[in-house]
Amino acid sequence: MNTEEKVFAGVRLNGIMMLIVDLLLMAATVTLFVFGARELNEGGGSFVLTSVVLLVLNCLSWPGFMQIEPNEARVMVFFGKYRGTIKIDGFHWVNPFYAKKRLTLRARNLDAEPIKVNDKKGNPVMIGQVLVWRV
């Protein structure tokens, strides 16, 4: 079993750029569909078919968006195999077939209430614990 963390080496694009591309692709899909529907009697069926294919591609690309907050990472899993971890903050786009598991990197604290115990001579001693951990 591989327990080492590795940096994600797959395609990771700027999320804002891909959002603009997806919106332009949606506008092109609607335009082709409207143009093809108007020209349906004169051979516009290919425009309608192209717009349907573009719509399917556009719908498949939307789940690829992810936002990574500070002190957070995403573990990328592709069909059950670990492919790497992304720790860079921001809005990103990756292959939509990756499973993007959220992982928090912040330090967590557990403050246990002090308890009173007696030592060997019978003197009371307060014992407490503060546990700090980070993944």
Side-chain angles (χ1 to χ4, degrees):
M1 184 169 117
N2 188 5
T3 58
E4 292 183 23
E5 176 187 348
K6 60 183 177 180
V7 177
F8 179 66
V11 176
R12 180 185 50 83
L13 300 174
N14 184 351
I16 299 295
M17 180 189 68
M18 284 303 295
L19 182 64
I20 292 169
V21 168
D22 275 351
L23 291 174
L24 289 174
L25 185 63
M26 183 62 80
T29 301
V30 170
T31 304
L32 278 175
F33 185 78
V34 169
F35 182 73
R38 271 197 246 154
E39 305 292 328
L40 197 56
N41 294 335
E42 300 166 5
S46 62
F47 289 119
V48 173
L49 182 63
T50 305
S51 68
V52 169
V53 170
L54 287 176
L55 179 67
V56 169
L57 289 176
N58 195 356
C59 289
L60 284 176
S61 70
W62 285 106
F65 291 105
M66 66 178 175
Q67 183 175 356
I68 301 177
E69 301 291 334
N71 289 325
E72 187 178 277
R74 293 290 174 110
V75 176
M76 308 305 290
V77 179
F78 189 66
F79 293 113
K81 293 197 176 213
Y82 173 69
R83 296 295 181 198
T85 304
I86 300 176
K87 292 183 179 179
I88 301 169
D89 301 342
F91 187 54
H92 306 283
W93 185 88
V94 294
N95 184 342
F97 295 110
Y98 279 104
K100 300 169 257 326
K101 306 287 183 178
R102 181 173 288 176
L103 178 67
T104 181
L105 299 176
R106 67 180 185 187
R108 299 201 180 240
N109 299 325
L110 175 67
D111 190 6
E113 292 293 322
I115 58 172
K116 187 184 285 189
V117 295
N118 294 328
D119 65 1
K120 206 174 197 181
K121 293 183 181 180
N123 299 324
V125 177
M126 298 292 285
I127 297 177
Q129 174 184 0
V130 175
L131 180 65
V132 179
W133 78 91
R134 183 177 177 188
V135 176

